[in-house]
């Protein structure tokens, strides 16, 4: 660990308590308890200011550090780039941006243009603005509405929250802009229709919303490839193919939000690729540079890009700027991050270790009645906890939080659906780095096993 001793961090802890506003947490308890300060990371492990070591099964708490901590080659790439050329607005190009854009679209057949931003929320906002501009210039102001899915999440800004199907995330931040319309979720475990082919039926529900709103008013369907923070939901067989058919039938652009799944999280470069679909927009952020620098990308097709090319109209181009989209650290880190994933064959490792993870989690389901459902792909998994398997009554949220705390006490950091869906914040979430080995998977599963027993009894 860092050469500093736990006692050396006293001033840091007090500075944090006095001045830092942390994300997604209530600060009242910090009046009498120390905030957690993470001071070092290596591989899958982090250390806090008290000297405690944890296996991080969340890749930085929010599914970001895909290639693990302590990658000196990424830090070196960023340092070398910054001393050469640190920043210039994206009205001009830069070497790492051009090279990363080229390398990225090589992994994304059918897509060709990359717009650089600095957060997933911002990447999604760019899509919404593009769609609204397309509606004004090419559809007479029609096809301006944006469809989004119940339980999906697309970011923290007002526009992104307007497109997020998580009521607790959106609560108290309205009123929201018009034109955002929700479609039903596709979680088969909590199915809304008793039919043989649930996947197709869930997709048909999207068409029903389109027909209700009017197909000539819908410009975009925005979906996560797997619903992430809404409970790690893998769309059922038949869903994605039918979604693609519906979008093409009604001339609706398809936007896949890969902020979580992008760059290998489920064993393919992008989540949509594992389902055999071809989107018009793909957004990404977290794993693009594994948290070593801020970067997000809005990627689209030549067909969309060409809609903004018209030198006879001064209002035709995309009149937008992302200030820190011009920072060269992001694409420099992203290039090295991509090289690591390729050279270390981390996509293959993700699939192999993902199989082991699901096998261990299924074992927990057999052992613990409180485990109602286990789902996921690659190194992204959810464990839905229930009070009763027959009725599927969700486990009490405070008890789910206790499982997280018990795992943490055993040196493993896991997560859960967090103040997102009223009454359904009952899914444990796992997303270890793509470098995870068998022993790491077993350590995670063993800690959850013990945490479940400590919380609910054997």
């Amino acid at each position: 660990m860092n050469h500093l001793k736990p006692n050396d961090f006293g001033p840091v802890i007090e500075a944090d308590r006095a001045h830092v506003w942390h994300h997604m947490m209530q600060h009242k308890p910090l009046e009498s308890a120390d905030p957690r300060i993470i001071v070092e990371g290596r591989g899958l492990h982090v250390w806090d200011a008290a000297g405690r070591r944890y296996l991080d099964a969340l890749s930085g708490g929010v599914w970001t550090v895909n290639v693990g901590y302590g990658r000196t080659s990424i830090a070196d790439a960023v340092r070398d780039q910054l001393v050469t050329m640190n920043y210039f607005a994206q009205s001009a190009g830069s070497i790492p941006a051009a090279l990363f854009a080229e390398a990225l679209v090589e992994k994304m057949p059918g897509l060709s243009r990359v717009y650089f931003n600095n957060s997933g929320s911002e990447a999604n906002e760019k899509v919404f603005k593009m769609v609204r501009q397309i509606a004004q210039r090419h559809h007479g102001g029609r096809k301006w509405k944006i469809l989004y899915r119940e339980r999906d999440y697309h970011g923290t800004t007002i526009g992104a929250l307007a497109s997020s199907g998580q009521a607790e995330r959106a609560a108290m931040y309205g009123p929201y802009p018009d034109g955002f319309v929700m479609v039903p979720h596709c979680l088969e475990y909590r199915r809304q229709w008793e039919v043989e082919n649930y996947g197709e039926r869930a997709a048909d529900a999207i068409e029903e919303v389109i027909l209700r709103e009017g197909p000539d008013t819908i410009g975009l369907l925005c979906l996560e490839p797997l619903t992430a923070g809404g409970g790690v939901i893998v769309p059922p067989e038949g869903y994605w193919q039918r979604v693609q058919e519906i979008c093409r039938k009604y001339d609706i652009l398809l936007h896949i939000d890969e902020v979580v799944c992008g760059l290998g999280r489920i064993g393919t470069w992008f989540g949509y690729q594992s389902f055999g679909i071809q989107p018009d927009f793909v957004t990404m952020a977290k794993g693009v540079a594994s948290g070593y620098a801020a970067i997000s990308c809005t990627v689209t097709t030549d067909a969309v890009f060409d809609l903004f090319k018209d030198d006879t109209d001064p209002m035709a181009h995309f009149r937008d700027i992302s200030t820190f989209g011009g920072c060269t650290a992001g694409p420099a880190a992203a290039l090295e991050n991509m090289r690591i994933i390729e050279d270390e064959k981390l996509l293959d490792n993700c699939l192999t270790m993902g199989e082991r993870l699901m096998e261990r989690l299924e074992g927990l389901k057999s052992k613990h009645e409180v485990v109602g459902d286990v789902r996921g792909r690659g190194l992204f998994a959810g464990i839905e906890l229930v009070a009763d398997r027959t009725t599927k009554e969700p486990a009490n949220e405070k008890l789910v939080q206790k499982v997280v705390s018990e795992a943490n006490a055993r040196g493993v950091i896991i997560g859960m659906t967090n103040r997102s869906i009223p009454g359904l914040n009952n899914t444990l979430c796992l997303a270890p780095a793509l470098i995870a080995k068998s022993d790491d998977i077993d350590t995670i599963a063993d800690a959850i096993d013990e945490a479940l027993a400590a919380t609910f009894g054997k």
Side-chain angles (χ1 to χ4, degrees):
M1 188 191 139
N2 193 297
H3 66 280
L4 294 174
K5 297 180 175 61
N7 289 341
D8 295 328
F9 294 109
V12 174
I13 292 171
E14 290 310 311
D16 182 284
R17 192 200 316 276
H19 304 295
V20 176
W21 194 335
H22 290 278
H23 300 180
M24 293 294 291
M25 66 177 290
Q26 173 56 249
H27 282 63
K28 188 68 176 175
L30 296 185
E31 293 177 359
S32 56
D34 286 347
R36 171 186 275 178
I37 308 290
I38 301 297
V39 299
E40 188 169 356
R42 289 287 181 270
L44 264 73
H45 294 89
V46 296
W47 286 260
D48 67 15
R52 291 184 291 257
R53 176 179 181 262
Y54 302 90
L55 192 161
D56 177 9
L58 286 178
S59 295
V62 286
W63 317 325
T64 298
V65 189
N66 283 10
V67 299
Y69 297 99
R71 291 285 189 169
T72 56
S73 67
I74 302 181
D76 289 344
V78 170
R79 186 263 178 202
D80 292 347
Q81 178 57 50
L82 292 183
V83 296
T84 301
M85 182 65 192
N86 65 307
Y87 175 85
F88 200 88
Q90 269 284 299
S91 53
S94 72
I95 292 172
L99 295 180
F100 178 63
E102 180 181 51
L104 182 61
V105 297
E106 284 178 357
K107 309 295 186 191
M108 308 176 74
L111 293 115
S112 57
R113 292 285 176 169
V114 182
Y115 192 98
F116 288 104
N117 322 279
N118 63 83
S119 73
S121 302
E122 189 183 6
N124 290 330
E125 289 275 0
K126 304 308 182 190
V127 175
F128 304 155
K129 288 180 67 177
M130 290 174 185
V131 169
R132 292 286 172 88
Q133 189 170 339
I134 290 168
Q136 292 295 324
R137 293 201 69 249
H138 299 282
H139 298 294
R142 303 185 310 278
K143 297 189 80 66
W144 64 288
K145 293 179 184 176
I146 293 161
L147 303 182
Y148 65 95
R149 187 171 56 196
E150 183 183 7
R151 297 183 70 137
D152 278 12
Y153 177 71
H154 301 296
T156 63
T157 58
I158 294 297
L161 278 177
S163 67
S164 294
Q166 298 184 359
E168 290 184 339
R169 290 287 186 104
M172 295 187 279
Y173 300 119
Y176 290 102
D178 293 336
F180 291 88
V181 182
M182 189 165 68
V183 302
H185 71 75
C186 62
L187 174 55
E188 192 164 12
Y189 181 68
R190 295 195 175 276
R191 56 171 55 209
Q192 310 97 311
W193 310 278
E194 292 301 327
V195 294
E196 185 173 338
N197 193 329
Y198 176 81
E200 288 188 7
R201 179 63 187 89
D204 287 341
I206 297 175
E207 184 173 31
E208 292 168 5
V209 174
I210 292 169
L211 293 173
R212 183 192 73 206
E213 295 290 324
D216 64 339
T217 72
I218 309 298
L220 184 78
L221 173 62
C222 175
L223 302 172
E224 293 183 275
L226 276 70
T227 298
V232 192
I233 301 167
V234 182
E237 185 177 352
Y239 181 82
W240 273 117
Q241 290 67 33
R242 182 75 181 114
V243 166
Q244 184 91 78
E245 291 171 6
I246 291 167
C247 287
R248 289 174 176 167
K249 179 179 179 180
Y250 296 108
D251 189 26
I252 294 170
L253 296 169
L254 178 58
H255 167 199
I256 306 299
D257 176 350
E258 296 270 359
V259 169
V260 173
C261 291
L263 276 294
R265 173 51 57 192
I266 68 170
T268 49
W269 283 107
F270 297 94
Y272 76 87
Q273 293 168 339
S274 69
F275 297 106
I277 56 172
Q278 184 60 57
D280 301 287
F281 295 98
V282 177
T283 50
M284 63 196 75
K286 296 178 185 293
V288 175
S290 287
Y292 285 82
I295 181 174
S296 71
C297 305
T298 301
V299 185
T300 190
T301 62
D302 275 336
V304 169
F305 179 74
D306 287 346
L307 294 173
F308 295 85
K309 291 167 66 174
D310 181 354
D311 60 7
T312 68
D313 181 358
M315 300 291 280
H317 66 284
F318 187 45
R319 301 180 315 283
D320 181 274
I321 185 172
S322 173
T323 298
F324 291 106
C327 183
T328 59
L335 275 167
E336 179 60 13
N337 182 69
M338 182 178 282
R339 183 201 66 75
I340 289 169
I341 293 172
E342 289 187 300
D343 288 359
E344 297 184 12
K345 297 179 171 53
L346 294 185
L347 298 183
D348 292 339
N349 188 66
C350 179
L351 292 172
T352 301
M353 291 300 104
E355 290 178 4
R356 186 179 185 91
L357 177 60
M358 292 304 294
E359 180 182 333
R360 288 299 314 269
L361 298 185
E362 288 291 347
L364 296 181
K365 183 178 178 181
S366 298
K367 182 177 180 180
H368 298 277
E369 284 291 319
V370 71
V371 178
D373 193 34
V374 170
R375 48 189 183 254
R377 279 204 180 182
L379 285 171
F380 194 29
I383 308 166
E384 182 161 352
L385 304 184
V386 294
D388 184 287
R389 277 193 182 177
T390 302
T391 65
K392 298 182 182 178
E393 177 190 349
N396 182 282
E397 187 170 343
K398 291 189 180 299
L399 293 177
V400 183
Q401 291 170 346
K402 187 173 189 298
V403 175
V404 174
S405 296
E406 290 287 349
N408 187 83
R410 289 160 175 78
V412 174
I413 298 171
I414 65 173
M416 61 175 285
T417 44
N418 187 14
R419 301 176 187 91
S420 301
I421 307 155
L424 288 168
N425 294 312
N426 62 319
T427 300
L428 301 175
C429 301
L430 304 173
L434 310 185
I435 61 172
K437 302 302 181 188
S438 298
D439 288 350
D440 300 315
I441 300 301
D442 290 342
T443 297
I444 294 167
D446 290 345
I448 297 172
D449 186 6
E450 294 177 12
L452 290 171
T455 303
F456 297 98
K458 298 182 180 181

